[in-house]
Amino acid sequence: MKQISGKAYAKINLYLDVRGLRADGYHELETVFQTVELCDLVAASLHRQGGISLRCSLPYLPTDGRNLAVKAAELFFRETGLENPGLNLNIKKNIPVGAGLAGGSTDAACVLRLLNRMFGMPLSGERLAAAALTLGADVPFCLRGGTALAGGVGEKLRPLPPLPECAVVLVKPGFSVSTKAAFALYDQTGGSRPGKSAPLLAALTRGDLKGVCRELHNGLEGPVAGQFPVIGQLKERLAELGAEGALMTGSGSAVYGIFSRREAAVQAAEALRGQLRFVTVTRPLAGL
Ligand code: ATP
């Protein structure tokens, strides 16, 4: 196979609780990830010049070894011991950057999946997941997708029943928040009230969308919204427009609203479009 392409889906966090700081500086998290249909498009092809080259639709993203997609390809060849004949990667970015939607992580996971297919599946699912974790805490989830509970620093993953059918309005204010900055704000402000994931997990098991929406929680949201009040304002606006629940995703800055009816979500998105650069209507995906 000389050429292969795939979709790299974004994620939102339905739940995120910071469980403490480890001695190595990593924050232990308990989080519920949900894949959504919004995706980057990733293509890989072989050529004869050696090396790894990347073309990316966003000119300000690095295209060298700092890009997570390139890191993933390097890791694949290291892990498998296969010789890289020469690889072209092409990414059409649709997922906003620095938004808490795992844009870079999902590109990396997609490259790992595509290369494993291209070279005849040399890595087992387990080895792929272990390699993915070295690229970032949410990369193992991005490999599998769907709905899952993650613990530790992303290495413990448990599949969950899917989020019931709904529409998700995703908005991003005109600024990004890096994961590092969000955790620094969390540490500076003394953290957040601890959440409880059990009611959310029970609502997922019952297939109860309104129950899920009542239990949305993100421990990073208070500290980040304290610094960037627009995040709280966007949540309120989404609720006014009919969202059953709204939350900042991951480390921000994107905020989502969950709507039981797609038409209401489309109308809400229309109302927000003039004020924000990034507004989209998407939906949860049960698996990749
Ligand atoms: P997460 O939700 O995983 O915490 P995020 O969605 O907030 O991450 P990303 O969009 O992944 O953040 O971008 C974070 C940083 O990663 C950016 O500053 C960007 O320069 C870098 N980066 C490296 N590779 C990529 C990529 N393929 N796509 C997007 N960003 C990338």
Side-chain angles (χ1 to χ4, degrees), residues 11 13 33 40 54 56 58 60-62 64 66-71 91 93 95-108 137-139 142 176-180 183 249-253:
K11 61 81 180 157
N13 300 78
F33 290 121
D40 292 341
L54 167 68
C56 179
L58 285 184
Y60 57 83
L61 282 182
D64 55 17
R66 288 168 298 167
N67 195 295
L68 272 169
V70 174
K71 281 198 175 125
I91 302 180
K93 289 290 301 178
I95 304 172
V97 175
L101 295 166
S105 301
T106 193
D107 292 348
D138 45 11
V139 186
C142 292
S176 298
V177 178
S178 73
T179 308
K180 205 173 151 198
F183 280 105
T249 176
S251 51
S253 60

Side-chain angles (χ1 to χ4, degrees), residues 73-259:
E74 289 167 347
L75 178 65
F76 175 82
F77 291 116
R78 253 196 334 270
E79 280 291 309
T80 55
L82 290 166
E83 195 191 332
N84 171 17
L87 182 72
N88 284 328
L89 295 172
N90 206 314
I91 302 180
K92 160 93 175 62
K93 289 290 301 178
N94 297 312
I95 304 172
V97 175
L101 295 166
S105 301
T106 193
D107 292 348
C110 191
V111 166
L112 286 177
R113 252 194 337 262
L114 291 179
L115 292 184
N116 208 34
R117 277 225 310 271
M118 198 178 213
F119 287 89
M121 308 299 262
L123 296 179
S124 65
E126 218 166 284
R127 275 191 70 196
L128 213 51
L133 187 63
T134 68
L135 295 169
D138 45 11
V139 186
F141 168 74
C142 292
L143 272 178
R144 288 179 25 181
T147 314
L149 176 69
V153 288
E155 75 283 13
K156 297 177 198 147
L157 267 185
R158 169 153 71 89
L160 292 173
L163 182 64
E165 205 182 298
C166 61
V168 178
V169 175
L170 261 178
V171 297
K172 182 180 179 265
F175 58 88
S176 298
V177 178
S178 73
T179 308
K180 205 173 151 198
F183 280 105
L185 283 170
Y186 180 91
D187 292 335
Q188 276 161 30
T189 53
S192 60
R193 74 176 168 86
K196 278 203 185 92
S197 58
L200 180 113
L201 302 188
L204 281 172
T205 305
R206 291 195 305 275
D208 172 5
L209 182 67
K210 289 196 175 164
V212 170
C213 289
R214 272 196 305 275
E215 301 299 338
L216 298 174
H217 169 82
N218 183 349
L220 291 173
E221 187 185 80
V224 174
Q227 178 87 354
F228 303 104
V230 70
I231 288 182
Q233 291 155 12
L234 284 172
K235 279 184 63 176
E236 278 171 26
R237 190 81 183 98
L238 283 160
E240 279 164 20
L241 291 165
E244 307 277 353
L247 194 73
M248 182 181 88
T249 176
S251 51
S253 60
V255 173
Y256 66 86
I258 296 183
F259 291 75

